Amino acid sequence: MSNIDKALHEMCDIEKEAGSEGSLNAMHPLFKLFITIWYVAFTVSIPNYKLDSLIFMIIYPLVIFIVWDISFVKCLKRIKVIFVALFLLGIGNLFFSKTVLMGLILMLCLFMKGILSILAVYILAVTTRIEDICNALRIIRVPELIVMVIMLIYRYINILLKETKRITEAYYMLAPNQKGINVKVWGQFAGQLMLRSIDRAHIVYDSMNVRGYEWSVKSQAYRGKYIVKRIDFVWLFGWSIVIVLLRFGTYFLNI
Amino acid sequence: MHMSDALLNPIVAGSMYALTTGVAVYSLHNVRKSEEQIKVAEMGIMGAFVFAAQMINFSIPGTGSSGHLCGGMLISAMLGPHAGFLTMIGILIIQCLLFADGGIMALGANIWNMAFFGCFVGAAIIWRSILKKGVSKKRIIIASVAGCVVTLQLGAFFVTLETMASNVTELPFQTFLAFMLPIHLAIGLVEGFITAAILCFVYETRSELLWGIESGTKEDRKSYAGVMSVLGVTALAVAGMFSLMASSHPDGLEWSVEKVTGSTELVKSGEVYEAFASIQEKLAILPDYAFKNSDTIAGTSFSGIIGAIIVAGICTLLCVIVRLTKKKS
């Protein structure tokens, strides 16, 4: 259970980071979301073997990481699993391309595309709170049920964490000197955890209803909360143009 | 199985978004229709449960790799395929936007590979059909394991298909598939047993929480028809869109023939050959998957759709014949 504990605590860290005060965090969430999609779309649209074009695309995450002081080491630790997956897929090209050099270039292209697009999403994740992302989804008319489920999942994780802790402690008290949880009771353990969490979730949800919450009524709380400032427009148009220039930089420079 | 953006090109990513949106709209419509307030809390907590479960990677013995639960089957066995699908969308959006796990452009593909098959094939077809004639622990185990294995294999197959359609790697389709399917078979088996253990416990303690165990009602049948229509629409969409991305290179057999003879087609002469060729020419309304004397892409797309309809029609006809023969005997 220490794994789940660790993972969930990491989640809290990201949430804390996203909620911290900073000019990038204060930017309109919809504009940040748009720039992220814009950047990813342009990055992955770069043809295979165009490694030079990809090198230009590094500028966007590099500027953000340096100017807004986002920890690159922490980022690498969090996305290390994706490195492995990209590496495994990329290395196959060494053997199946016409020449080893072509395979190597293709592998690097795939690797860079993957890393750059993950970095862009990571920037969005560590600078935008869950509420802001959900409100951005509401603004673009994503159905309320989906937005509400996203918010509930996020909030209920806390309930799940507490229940996990309670059940684990109870188990260890009943089975002292035992290393880990016996495989034979894994199903019961997970099932019990699920049922207890469902019950607690119902209690929380009922109390929300008592206070007048109705999921089918679209939340209006976000209205007026996100005033589009001049800096948001500068951010949106500025980066949109820069990203296009980065994408086609090699053509402009006739490289 | 979370795909990264690097594995897809914008066209394939867009197509997957379109397919996923269609299924999401259908699911939303169904959930709203059978609106139960109680389910909203369950959707949230089940989402949190699967979200947490996906964070724990388990080792696959003998391979040096690891996997994690997809959870589509587990969620749908508790909530039903429609609510389960929407919950899975929620989980994958959180993972993508808050943890950079799975690409933002690949979100549509990830929802399709991990949620659609788990919810609509795993629960709506496999779970439902196995538990139709009664519920027991044995049946729950069979349904869970079969559901997880089949849906993960389908998901892995589609990951390969989408990557190949995006043309981002020189890795041959068969080689990529040979890596993907066995590893996901192992992951599917582990997921199947974990899912079975949890669902058996729920069945023993609170069986009313399980979905679809009272079958045979009118409403159930209506919902089954709904699922089949979603699958039908999906088949048409895939046939219409993916056919446009089909490679123009010769297929495996043609390639082999070309290597041996220097041409992809073998020319045979003689009356019998000519007679059959003439019949085929008259019968083929869409030769080479295109309109006659035309090379437009609309022809390819149209051929895909027509082909899917005809195959579905033939299969339905065969099923009707088999049923009629069974009744008579």
Side-chain angles (χ1 to χ4, degrees), chain A residues 131 134 138 146-156:
Chain A
E131 285 88 355
C134 285
R138 280 188 177 116
I146 294 178
V147 177
M148 198 264 322
V149 166
I150 294 173
M151 294 196 82
L152 279 184
I153 289 172
Y154 206 72
R155 293 298 157 228
Y156 280 162

Side-chain angles (χ1 to χ4, degrees), chain A residues 3-4 7-8 11 14-15 33 36-37 40-41 44-45 48-49 79 82 86 89 92-93 96-97 106 110 113-114 117-118 121-122 124-125 128-130 133 137 143-146 148-150 152-154 156-157 159-160 187-188 190-195 197-199 201-202 205 209 214-216, chain B residues 4-10 24 28 31-32 35-49 51-53 55-57 74 78 86-87 89-91 93-94 96-105 163 166-172 175-176 179 194 197-199 201-202 205-206 209:
Chain A
N3 277 350
I4 191 168
L8 292 171
M11 200 183 97
I14 294 179
E15 174 80 342
L33 185 65
T36 307
I37 297 172
V40 171
V44 298
S45 70
N48 293 341
Y49 304 105
I79 61 174
I82 301 155
L86 284 171
L89 188 67
N93 290 303
F96 294 105
S97 290
L106 189 57
L110 193 68
K113 275 185 193 179
S117 45
I118 291 160
V121 181
Y122 181 80
L124 177 76
T128 320
R129 290 177 313 149
I130 181 84
I133 286 180
L137 295 176
E144 184 62 18
L145 182 63
I146 294 178
M148 198 264 322
V149 166
I150 294 173
L152 279 184
I153 289 172
Y154 206 72
Y156 280 162
I157 283 169
I159 291 180
L160 196 79
Q188 287 171 34
Q192 191 69 259
L193 172 66
M194 201 171 79
L195 293 181
S197 305
I198 287 176
D199 290 340
H202 276 307
Y205 189 72
N209 280 334
E214 176 61 57
W215 75 265
S216 52
Chain B
S4 143
D5 283 326
L7 300 184
L8 295 175
N9 69 25
L28 209 58
V31 170
R32 278 190 186 137
E35 183 186 320
E36 286 174 43
Q37 275 215 337
I38 209 112
K39 269 205 168 165
V40 177
E42 280 173 16
M43 282 167 81
I45 197 68
M46 282 304 298
F49 187 82
F51 179 86
M55 284 177 157
I56 309 165
N57 277 38
L74 177 66
M78 297 288 290
L86 295 174
T87 312
I89 290 180
I91 296 168
I93 289 179
I94 291 181
C96 166
L97 294 182
L98 284 144
F99 301 99
D101 192 7
I104 198 163
M105 261 182 52
T163 310
S166 299
N167 194 27
V168 292
T169 174
E170 294 282 343
L171 215 63
T175 314
F176 193 8
F179 280 114
I194 294 174
I198 296 172
L199 293 177
F201 179 77
V202 175
T205 49
R206 304 260 293 273
L209 287 176

Side-chain angles (χ1 to χ4, degrees), chain A residues 64-103:
Chain A
I64 307 263
F65 270 81
I66 293 170
V67 176
W68 277 275
D69 200 21
I70 298 171
S71 167
F72 194 67
V73 180
K74 246 189 210 177
C75 168
L76 288 181
K77 271 186 195 165
R78 282 172 183 159
I79 61 174
K80 62 183 179 224
V81 183
I82 301 155
F83 278 109
V84 181
L86 284 171
F87 180 76
L88 286 176
L89 188 67
I91 205 159
N93 290 303
L94 290 178
F95 309 104
F96 294 105
S97 290
K98 281 173 193 159
T99 61
V100 177
L101 184 67
M102 281 174 84

